[in-house]
Amino acid sequence: MIILKRFYFRPIFYHYRTNTTTTTTKTKLNTFNIEYDPIKQSIIYPQELNLNNKNYSTDSWTNVNENILSRIGLNLHQQKNHPLYHLTNRLRKYFYQFYDQKKLSPKFSIIDNLSPIVTTEQNFDSICIPINHVSRTKSMNYYINQNTLLRAHTSAHQVDLIRSGLNAFLCIGDVYRRDDIDPTHYPVFHQCEGVQLFTKEELFIGNKNVLGDKDNLEIFGPNEQRDATKQEGHTLEAVKLVEASLKKTITDLFKTLLPNTSILNSRWVDTTFPFTHPSWEYEIEIDGKWYELLGCGIMEHRVLENSGLNKDHIGWAFGLGLERIAMIMYGIPDIRLFWTNDSGFLSQFVFDDSTHSIQYKPISIYPQCINDLSMWMGKTKIDPSDFYDLVRAIGGDLIEQVILIDEFYNPKNQRYSQTYRIIYRSMDRTLTKNEINMIHKDIEYHCKQQFGVEIR
């Protein structure tokens, strides 16, 4: 039997067997009253889940698990002396330097305590993500029910915050995505959303030194068509001024966060997002490799219309992942480290001045353990996201990476085959072969139970 306390995070979503005899009784898996039915080979959710002291009905869209639900409310970015706490402080310090002379206060408000439980209208519809867009699928999100999910981005709060009267803000919080398993991806991470809006007066009068004596400049024009440089309705002059503001804000931010970028190459890459146009990604080059730091762009005017604003504002928005920036800032090689309670990691970030520059000193010198798992299934393939959730739930943070290395269809027996490579590594000790084999056997067992596969 596996001793669960030895794991970084107790894998409590799946029940553990103590022998190879298949049980025919439903097994309660956790405090959320989620059950596993071995006969139906499926997870059975209660009619309601109680999250943050509120009840949410479940339905066929429900796919959250205890491993994910247990992260709600941890708010690593608010935990003193955590690397994400220091990065949040540095973001706060940078944006608080922009001052509103009329209000005698910082221009940017900073919101970092909003619940990650949002509606599909907030997460998708309000920011113009099409109804058939791939980012809405169950394979990419953690749904509580068809109309409610754990936010996939802090953009879910854009419209609500603008409706509340804010025209310049940061929104920081935890976000949830069913992602790959590797040293740079984790199903829960933290994101910072930045937004700034401009009226005609703020945009043009504030840039007289650039525009000269030009009069009658407008944000909107009657005959403006959508093209690669702007949205329909927007004048090119307005878009170029907002673009300049956005890019200067971002460039100066990273000169502050990463002082060495001044001697490195950086670039803006044209891209496409449903909620901004034109859109860009900002990248820097380190040791010959390009790193994307954020995505950004001119906000789609439809988002502002959803916020209750008519044709009197234009704005920019960006979204950056805190873990990605912190990994570069501090030289942290594995995203799992942000979730560890190991004092060897956390003690390196015990300092009061968040601008203090340090480089992380590795605490794990322990080797990888690699096991492959091959299985036959029926005419329907396993969604890799479902397999990743199962592996993470059983192996916890002993799982460093999972890779789908082979997949094919056998027309003779009309079955699919998939082979996954599972890489195990502990941050604080050497894993024994016997220990890994036990975990791997449990993964095989639950694959057969949940997916009805045949292990090859």
Side-chain angles (χ1 to χ4, degrees):
M1 181 176 181
I2 294 177
I3 301 173
L4 302 180
K5 289 183 179 179
R6 298 182 70 183
F7 292 161
Y8 276 118
F9 297 101
R10 185 163 55 96
I12 47 185
F13 181 53
Y14 294 91
H15 75 286
Y16 281 79
R17 72 192 192 284
T18 55
N19 54 57
T20 56
T21 303
T22 302
T23 177
T24 58
T25 60
K26 296 177 183 177
T27 306
K28 186 174 289 188
L29 303 178
N30 48 55
T31 57
F32 292 93
N33 294 316
I34 300 172
E35 297 180 343
Y36 177 73
D37 189 331
I39 296 178
K40 294 182 179 179
Q41 297 180 349
S42 62
I43 305 299
I44 301 176
Y45 291 91
Q47 290 186 343
E48 291 184 333
L49 288 172
N50 186 275
L51 306 172
N52 286 354
N53 297 316
K54 182 177 179 180
N55 289 330
Y56 296 88
S57 61
T58 60
D59 56 28
S60 61
W61 280 74
T62 307
N63 65 351
V64 291
N65 60 58
E66 170 104 359
N67 184 45
I68 295 300
L69 295 176
S70 66
R71 310 304 170 93
I72 296 175
L74 293 184
N75 296 326
L76 299 184
H77 63 292
Q78 296 178 343
Q79 295 184 16
K80 188 173 182 180
N81 294 326
H82 191 281
L84 299 186
Y85 167 85
H86 290 306
L87 176 53
T88 299
N89 278 350
R90 295 183 69 171
L91 291 169
R92 193 185 308 271
K93 181 178 180 180
Y94 173 79
F95 280 94
Y96 273 169
Q97 72 178 317
F98 299 100
Y99 204 72
D100 189 323
Q101 296 295 340
K102 292 182 179 179
K103 297 180 180 178
L104 299 179
S105 64
K107 276 187 178 181
F108 284 83
S109 301
I110 298 179
I111 298 93
D112 65 356
N113 59 355
L114 297 178
S115 170
I117 301 172
V118 298
T119 64
T120 52
E121 196 279 332
Q122 289 174 299
N123 200 77
F124 303 118
D125 301 332
S126 70
I127 54 173
C128 304
I129 296 179
I131 193 68
N132 60 348
H133 198 272
V134 65
S135 65
R136 290 178 177 255
T137 62
K138 290 174 67 175
S139 294
M140 298 189 70
N141 299 283
Y142 287 104
Y143 279 89
I144 298 169
N145 56 48
Q146 186 174 6
N147 300 313
T148 313
L149 72 160
L150 300 178
R151 64 186 170 209
H153 41 220
T154 45
S155 307
H157 304 288
Q158 260 189 28
V159 166
D160 291 334
L161 291 173
I162 295 172
R163 281 177 180 167
S164 74
L166 299 180
N167 59 8
F169 58 84
L170 300 186
C171 180
I172 303 172
D174 46 333
V175 298
Y176 300 76
R177 296 181 190 173
R178 300 184 72 190
D179 217 333
D180 297 338
I181 298 179
D182 62 41
T184 62
H185 292 87
Y186 203 80
V188 189
F189 62 100
H190 297 74
Q191 194 175 64
C192 173
E193 182 87 6
V195 167
Q196 184 170 13
L197 306 181
F198 303 87
T199 62
K200 171 185 172 181
E201 291 72 25
E202 291 168 335
L203 189 61
F204 295 122
I205 295 177
N207 287 281
K208 271 194 171 182
N209 59 326
V210 177
L211 298 170
D213 296 327
K214 290 183 180 179
D215 295 323
N216 301 321
L217 292 175
E218 300 287 345
I219 293 176
F220 296 91
N223 300 312
E224 301 291 346
Q225 301 298 314
R226 190 181 188 95
D227 57 30
T229 64
K230 59 183 175 58
Q231 299 170 36
E232 61 275 17
H234 282 167
T235 64
L236 188 59
E237 293 88 352
V239 170
K240 288 302 180 182
L241 286 174
V242 177
E243 177 184 342
S245 167
L246 168 63
K247 290 184 175 180
K248 184 178 189 307
T249 302
I250 296 302
T251 302
D252 289 350
L253 169 63
F254 283 101
K255 286 180 180 178
T256 302
L257 295 179
L258 307 169
N260 289 334
T261 58
S262 61
I263 61 173
L264 298 174
N265 291 325
S266 64
R267 65 187 182 188
W268 295 93
V269 180
D270 292 340
T271 189
T272 302
F273 300 119
F275 28 77
T276 56
H277 179 78
S279 305
W280 304 275
E281 291 172 343
Y282 181 63
E283 299 182 349
I284 63 170
E285 186 182 24
I286 301 176
D287 297 330
K289 183 177 180 180
W290 287 98
Y291 292 84
E292 177 202 333
L293 299 185
L294 57 77
C296 61
I298 310 300
M299 295 177 68
E300 283 283 357
H301 189 69
R302 288 175 297 158
V303 175
L304 299 185
E305 290 177 336
N306 292 341
S307 307
L309 299 180
N310 295 317
K311 289 191 175 183
D312 52 3
H313 286 80
I314 188 173
W316 53 248
F318 71 80
L320 63 85
L322 297 190
E323 282 85 347
R324 179 175 299 181
I325 307 305
M327 291 174 80
I328 296 173
M329 283 175 56
Y330 300 121
I332 297 172
D334 194 310
I335 198 170
R336 293 175 299 165
L337 283 164
F338 291 103
W339 295 93
T340 183
N341 292 318
D342 191 295
S343 60
F345 175 76
L346 295 175
S347 63
Q348 298 184 42
F349 298 92
V350 179
F351 44 82
D352 293 329
D353 183 3
S354 291
T355 63
H356 179 59
S357 179
I358 72 159
Q359 282 295 294
Y360 162 74
K361 297 178 182 178
I363 61 173
S364 180
I365 55 174
Y366 305 101
Q368 293 179 334
C369 300
I370 301 175
N371 278 8
D372 291 348
L373 193 157
S374 299
M375 47 195 166
W376 286 110
M377 53 212 71
K379 295 181 180 180
T380 303
K381 297 182 290 186
I382 293 175
D383 186 328
S385 297
D386 293 331
F387 182 76
Y388 298 156
D389 277 351
L390 183 149
V391 172
R392 180 81 77 182
I394 295 174
D397 276 9
L398 295 182
I399 307 297
E400 180 176 85
Q401 189 171 6
V402 179
I403 310 167
L404 177 60
I405 60 173
D406 185 58
E407 180 179 84
F408 66 89
Y409 179 73
N410 187 324
K412 185 175 181 180
N413 56 24
Q414 296 186 326
R415 292 200 294 178
Y416 278 99
S417 171
Q418 288 180 339
T419 299
Y420 290 88
R421 176 154 295 160
I422 304 175
I423 301 174
Y424 303 83
R425 176 162 28 200
S426 171
M427 293 293 177
D428 64 350
R429 60 193 170 86
T430 299
L431 299 173
T432 66
K433 184 177 181 180
N434 183 56
E435 182 179 13
I436 292 302
N437 286 341
M438 291 177 67
I439 300 172
H440 205 73
K441 287 293 183 184
D442 254 357
I443 292 172
E444 290 181 351
Y445 173 80
H446 287 289
C447 278
K448 290 188 287 187
Q449 292 291 305
Q450 181 169 335
F451 303 127
V453 301
E454 176 188 338
I455 304 300
R456 293 173 55 195

